[in-house]
Amino acid sequence: MESRISSWTRKKSVFPYLLLLPTLLLMIIFLLYPWLWGFCLSFQSWSPFRLDPPRFIGLKNYMDTLSRPIFQSSLVKTIVFTIFNVGIQFFLGFAVALLLDTRRHSRKFFLTLCILPMMITPSIVGLIWKVLLHNEWGIANYFIETIGLTKLGWLSDPTLTLVTIVLVEVWLHTPFTTLVLLAGLQAIPPEPYEAAKVDGASGFQAFRYITLPWLQPLIVIVLMFRIMFSLRAFDTIYSLFRSGGPGNEGMVLGVYLYERLRITWSMGEAAALSYIILFLTALFSMVFVVKLYRGEQQ
């Protein structure tokens, strides 16, 4: 009897892992294996258009990539783009979330408007804004000309390239920040605010000492995700310009990776560049992960 019970217990403990086995196999095939294969490829010289087998060259792909001026320029543009993009998205999204939290009667209508950009794929968003910002017959320049100002070369002026990209990215991804922070605001219980009001705290003091500490984990998560996605931005930018933009002013790392692979078809070099981007993304993400962990420990 005891042997039957122990046998049944062992089967019961193993059964959940058997249910997870198909998912684990799929993850290994479609995630782990490509990562490992790409990492090994980054130390080799190989092109699918050459009959030569892959040849081990060590860190040459990494060194060549890091030493190229166009990579260094793309890295600077990516950092500048990420700072402005994430900064505007966060503050604008936070402001909209605070506004929606107080405007309860019209919240559903504005939430619907917020969700609409998130329902459109980034490549389609780029094409839509390409029409709206067209130099000659775009609706943006139409309104600018209507109020008596000179038309702007949104898609042709190198000085406006990053501005255009940030404008489109903010429109597309600010709703994510708004929805996450609004959910956090609605989860705050009213008791701390009532106690602060009794104690004579001002609205700013209640925001600083109640709202911000309560939302700190969500703020860290939002910033982490938006920085991760901004560092590898590609689809919206490429839909707008089909390249790095005029004067390559929009040549961020994601676009540079695609253009480099399209021109050279050097798979090893492309793999090295992709792992450099992955390292930068992980490096910036770890800062927020540590911050979130320390906040939970406190």
Side-chain angles (χ1 to χ4, degrees), residues 137-167:
W137 39 266
I139 191 172
N141 275 340
Y142 169 78
F143 284 114
I144 289 176
E145 197 173 29
T146 301
I147 61 177
L149 299 178
T150 307
K151 291 181 179 180
L152 297 176
W154 299 100
L155 304 176
S156 60
D157 188 350
T159 60
L160 291 177
T161 300
L162 276 180
V163 175
T164 302
I165 295 171
V166 170
L167 171 66

Side-chain angles (χ1 to χ4, degrees), residues 3 5 7 21 35 40 42-43 51 66 80-81 86 95 123 138 143 152 169 185 198 225 244 286 289:
S3 62
I5 294 176
S7 176
L21 187 60
W35 285 347
C40 295
S42 67
F43 299 100
L51 298 178
L66 293 173
V80 172
F81 162 72
V86 176
S123 56
F143 284 114
L152 297 176
E169 286 283 325
L185 287 170
V198 171
F225 273 92
M286 284 304 298
V289 171

Side-chain angles (χ1 to χ4, degrees), residues 41-62:
L41 192 61
S42 67
F43 299 100
Q44 302 178 46
S45 174
W46 178 65
S47 172
F49 293 108
R50 293 198 301 264
L51 298 178
D52 300 334
R55 179 170 54 89
F56 181 79
I57 57 174
L59 295 174
K60 188 176 186 302
N61 286 326
Y62 289 93

